[in-house]
Amino acid sequence: MKNQHQSSITVPVHSEIMRITKRIIERSRHTREQYLAKIEQSRSQTVHRSQLACGNLAHGFAACQADDKAALKSMTHANIAIVTSYNDMLSAHRPYENYPEIIKAALHESGSVGQVAAGVPAMCDGVTQGQDGMELSLLSRDVIAMATAIGLSHNMFDGALYLGVCDKIIPGLMIGALSFGHLPAVFIPAGPMTTGLPNKEKVRIRQLYAEGKVDRQALLEAEAASYHGIGTCTFYGTANSNQMVMEIMGLHLPGSSFVHPDTQLRDELTKAAARQVTRFTAQSGNYLPVGKLVDEKVIVNGIVALLATGGSTNLTMHLVAMARAAGIIINWDDFSELSSIVPLMCRIYPNGPADINQFQAAGGVSLLVKQLLTKGLLHNDVHTVAGFGLSHYTLEPWLNDGQLDWREGPQTSLDNQVIADIHQPFSAHGGTRVLCGNLGRAVMKTSAVPDENQIIEAPAVVFNSQHDITARFEAGELNHDCVIVVRFQGPVANGMPELHKLMPPLGVLMDRGYKVALVTDGRLSGASGKVPSAIHVTPEAYSGGLLAKVCDGDIIRVNGKTSELTLLVDEQELATRQPYPIDLSQQRQGSGRELFAALRTNLTGAEEGACSVHF
């Protein structure tokens, strides 16, 4: 990419950012050294396919066109893997259908070859919410990582391009890419759908439906008007949080995350990404493998991006898993301490009324990076796919007489209700807290919860399945202050499904004036809203966590201000209680769930990334 317009920001890094980064470096010293040694061992001074026997190589290019076959025979041209998550059911991944042809044409212009190395699964939590298939969602991340590794294992490639957007897809692709960390990599987004029915109105209709005040047809019409075209959903859930984090980690080209699909600018950015990866191959003289690009400073930048924007709680697991794939060990204490110094800079639904398109119009990533850099809240001295220095990401792409170019982004917010000024943030706190107490450790996304709702002390109402709540709600049995406990939803129990379908009824209870909180070892995702929710509780109930001993009527204190999660029951009484004798055998059959038993059994806890692969 052109960089003659790159700005120069020389503010020193905040002392606390540096302290936490140094702690991560020291904590990770041994594992990072081992990882970098693996990269060096896998490195090739020439094209990787030169190591293949003739029969191997013939199989590898048998289906190629004549010119590509000749180029691959010559051992002088780079071959770039394309790993795609295309399918035509998911709106976010539908745009990828024609990307391989666009990429291959751009690579040809650069004297390189491209091959689709792998197609990885991509499922949508929006489709599977409340369904049995949701229990495969988190597990799909590790399947995607393994599928990526299988595609790259042919050893035909000198670099890779990764096409993915949504919840588990980007983390899975990242883990797979880092397992082949000796290869340069660029990630290519597809962009958000255009704005449809406002998110606030969609939620209003959902709550009316939960109360029986509108029928299913009205609900379906509202949902269809919100999710209406190609591209990512426009609220700030895990999909768009992924894009934000990946760009500020320097793995997307600057300004490419939130450009709409099927536009000329989007196509030109895709071509530019293809050309850019060839500039980092071993034979280019500017070798930059993804495993070296993603270092401790880059991981900290990713956490800061998440916190400053009030992003998805799913990333408190995915970033841990991604970092560990690069030999870097982070934990929730790092998130919590960074959150205490990183201000909340954005209000994007569910943290405010705006959608991701309004964020882009208000100044987008370039403005956010500029503001965070001027306060020393991001590491500027990092490698990125745009070149050395995160200040590349203060630029925004545009078409200059039809040609892709970059220019300085806005200097100030174009809508200070969406992106705040760094001197007047929406909150001095990043909006993610780690709660601790005798129930274990949990995550709360406080950025979406009003201050007055962050503290609740009330009797528990305990459920062992999310599906049991609706009947109790409709019968009026939850019309009182309460802490809803939904347990046996952790990684080992059932794959840790998202429980977002609980939000409409719990939101209705809050609107009726009751104080309500949710405590669960399951997930809620980036769509977490106004209900104070202690999620990802670890240890999970199924693995010996105290959640398994909670009874109806027990008083639970949830305090997002002081980071407390406590079961207010005498310790002597708790010692005499037996864990609830759950039998999940019938819930592990059907919808393919029986195929994932081995993965489920090997999953680590939420704070360790819920990984089936132990790095």
Side-chain angles (χ1 to χ4, degrees):
M1 61 169 283
K2 300 178 182 179
N3 63 1
Q4 63 264 38
H5 305 300
Q6 183 187 359
S7 65
S8 177
I9 299 176
T10 58
V11 175
V13 176
H14 191 290
S15 59
E16 281 296 286
I17 298 281
M18 186 59 73
R19 179 186 67 81
I20 295 166
T21 304
K22 288 180 177 177
R23 183 177 69 195
I24 294 169
I25 291 171
E26 186 55 37
R27 184 194 300 143
S28 309
R29 189 172 303 281
H30 179 63
T31 50
R32 181 66 174 167
E33 286 175 356
Q34 287 183 319
Y35 176 77
L36 292 175
K38 182 180 76 170
I39 288 178
E40 192 59 33
Q41 187 177 12
S42 301
R43 179 180 178 178
S44 173
Q45 297 299 324
T46 182
V47 292
H48 277 271
R49 64 187 178 278
S50 65
Q51 303 168 32
L52 299 178
C54 292
N56 303 140
L57 188 57
H59 278 84
F61 60 53
C64 290
Q65 298 296 322
D67 55 346
D68 282 352
K69 192 175 292 188
L72 293 175
K73 285 180 182 179
S74 74
M75 302 298 173
T76 59
H77 298 260
N79 189 25
I80 304 301
I82 303 167
V83 181
T84 178
S85 58
Y86 162 74
N87 66 51
D88 66 5
M89 185 194 76
L90 303 189
S91 63
H93 294 80
R94 171 66 175 77
Y96 284 133
E97 181 177 13
N98 299 317
Y99 276 37
E101 295 310 311
I102 295 172
I103 288 167
K104 288 177 184 180
L107 289 171
H108 282 158
E109 294 173 2
S110 301
S112 300
V113 177
Q115 291 182 294
V116 175
V120 303
M123 66 179 291
C124 178
D125 294 355
V127 177
T128 56
Q129 289 284 358
Q131 307 298 315
D132 292 345
M134 185 69 214
E135 295 181 12
L136 304 184
S137 174
L138 182 59
L139 298 169
S140 75
R141 183 194 67 192
D142 291 11
V143 172
I144 291 163
M146 290 185 277
T148 299
I150 289 170
L152 297 177
S153 68
H154 296 99
N155 205 27
M156 286 280 294
F157 307 109
D158 307 292
L161 295 166
Y162 298 92
L163 315 184
V165 177
C166 286
D167 296 15
K168 267 56 66 183
I169 295 91
I170 280 292
L173 289 172
M174 266 294 289
I175 294 168
L178 289 166
S179 74
F180 281 75
H182 59 285
L183 297 179
V186 177
F187 284 71
I188 302 180
M193 68 176 69
T194 56
T195 300
L197 183 74
N199 287 293
K200 187 175 181 180
E201 177 63 11
K202 173 191 67 181
V203 171
R204 188 183 73 85
I205 298 298
R206 285 179 177 176
Q207 291 195 180
L208 289 174
Y209 178 76
E211 294 180 277
K213 294 180 178 178
V214 300
D215 62 14
R216 181 180 172 84
Q217 187 61 36
L219 176 64
L220 181 57
E221 290 299 323
E223 298 285 357
S226 180
Y227 309 117
H228 64 91
I230 61 171
T232 61
C233 308
T234 60
F235 69 89
Y236 195 45
T238 309
N240 285 322
S241 296
N242 278 337
Q243 305 313 296
M244 187 82 71
V245 168
M246 291 294 281
E247 183 166 336
I248 296 180
M249 286 175 67
L251 290 156
H252 288 171
L253 288 181
S256 62
S257 295
F258 303 118
V259 174
H260 289 305
D262 287 354
T263 61
Q264 184 184 353
L265 181 57
R266 169 56 68 201
D267 288 346
E268 293 304 319
L269 284 164
T270 299
K271 295 174 189 176
R275 292 189 292 267
Q276 194 71 359
V277 76
T278 66
R279 298 180 177 126
F280 298 127
T281 59
Q283 56 270 37
S284 72
N286 190 36
Y287 179 55
L288 179 62
V290 68
K292 288 188 177 178
L293 184 156
V294 178
D295 63 10
E296 294 88 346
K297 292 181 179 180
V298 166
I299 292 294
V300 169
N301 282 351
I303 299 173
V304 170
L306 178 73
L307 297 171
T309 56
S312 168
T313 52
N314 275 325
L315 271 294
T316 64
M317 289 187 298
H318 295 325
L319 275 168
V320 171
M322 290 155 58
R324 289 193 176 213
I328 300 167
I329 300 172
I330 59 175
N331 58 40
W332 287 350
D333 291 332
D334 300 322
F335 285 82
S336 184
E337 290 182 32
L338 286 167
S339 192
S340 68
I341 57 173
V342 174
L344 181 65
M345 293 294 298
C346 301
R347 288 289 190 195
I348 319 170
Y349 189 85
N351 302 330
D355 69 8
I356 200 66
N357 295 316
Q358 290 167 283
F359 165 81
Q360 178 77 347
V365 175
S366 66
L367 175 62
L368 180 66
V369 170
K370 183 183 282 96
Q371 297 215 61
L372 292 172
L373 281 174
T374 59
K375 280 291 188 178
L377 295 172
L378 289 168
H379 292 285
N380 191 15
D381 57 336
V382 293
H383 289 287
T384 78
V385 298
F388 188 76
L390 193 63
S391 53
H392 283 285
Y393 289 75
T394 65
L395 306 178
E396 63 177 14
W398 67 299
L399 294 175
N400 185 357
D401 291 331
Q403 301 297 310
L404 180 64
D405 199 356
W406 272 266
R407 62 190 177 192
E408 274 296 326
Q411 300 300 306
T412 58
S413 177
L414 302 179
D415 186 343
N416 59 16
Q417 299 303 305
V418 180
I419 304 177
D421 184 273
I422 191 66
H423 302 291
Q424 294 180 303
F426 294 117
S427 170
H429 193 280
T432 297
R433 288 193 184 273
V434 177
L435 308 188
C436 302
N438 61 355
L439 280 171
R441 286 162 67 84
V443 174
M444 176 183 278
K445 183 176 178 180
T446 57
S447 56
V449 180
D451 286 352
E452 63 272 17
N453 293 336
Q454 291 185 22
I455 303 172
I456 177 172
E457 187 173 308
V461 183
V462 182
F463 298 91
N464 299 320
S465 169
Q466 62 174 316
H467 304 296
D468 296 336
I469 293 178
T470 301
R472 298 277 298 273
F473 169 76
E474 292 177 347
E477 296 174 11
L478 302 180
N479 288 331
H480 55 87
D481 292 354
C482 58
V483 174
I484 303 296
V485 174
V486 187
R487 61 191 179 187
F488 301 111
Q489 307 299 308
V492 179
N494 64 353
M496 205 179 189
E498 287 184 356
L499 308 175
H500 190 57
K501 277 208 165 186
L502 304 182
M503 291 299 99
L506 299 189
V508 169
L509 293 176
M510 293 183 70
D511 289 347
R512 290 174 180 171
Y514 303 115
K515 292 184 70 68
V516 178
L518 173 67
V519 175
T520 181
D521 46 11
R523 297 185 292 130
L524 269 185
S525 88
S528 309
K530 64 184 180 182
V531 179
S533 304
I535 61 176
H536 306 177
V537 174
T538 184
E540 62 176 286
Y542 193 76
S543 298
L546 187 59
L547 273 183
K549 291 187 176 183
V550 178
C551 297
D552 282 344
D554 288 347
I555 303 300
I556 294 178
R557 180 184 298 144
V558 178
N559 191 326
K561 295 291 190 180
T562 62
S563 302
E564 182 183 358
L565 178 62
T566 304
L567 176 63
L568 299 175
V569 175
D570 183 77
E571 290 188 12
Q572 290 184 333
E573 179 180 343
L574 289 175
T576 65
R577 287 188 186 178
Q578 295 299 310
Y580 185 86
I582 193 76
D583 179 4
L584 296 175
S585 58
Q586 294 303 309
Q587 298 174 42
R588 292 175 170 178
Q589 301 292 317
S591 298
R593 288 176 290 180
E594 60 275 10
L595 302 178
F596 291 79
L599 282 184
R600 210 168 35 238
T601 301
N602 283 296
L603 285 175
T604 61
E607 189 168 5
E608 289 75 43
C611 300
S612 63
V613 179
H614 300 178
F615 299 103

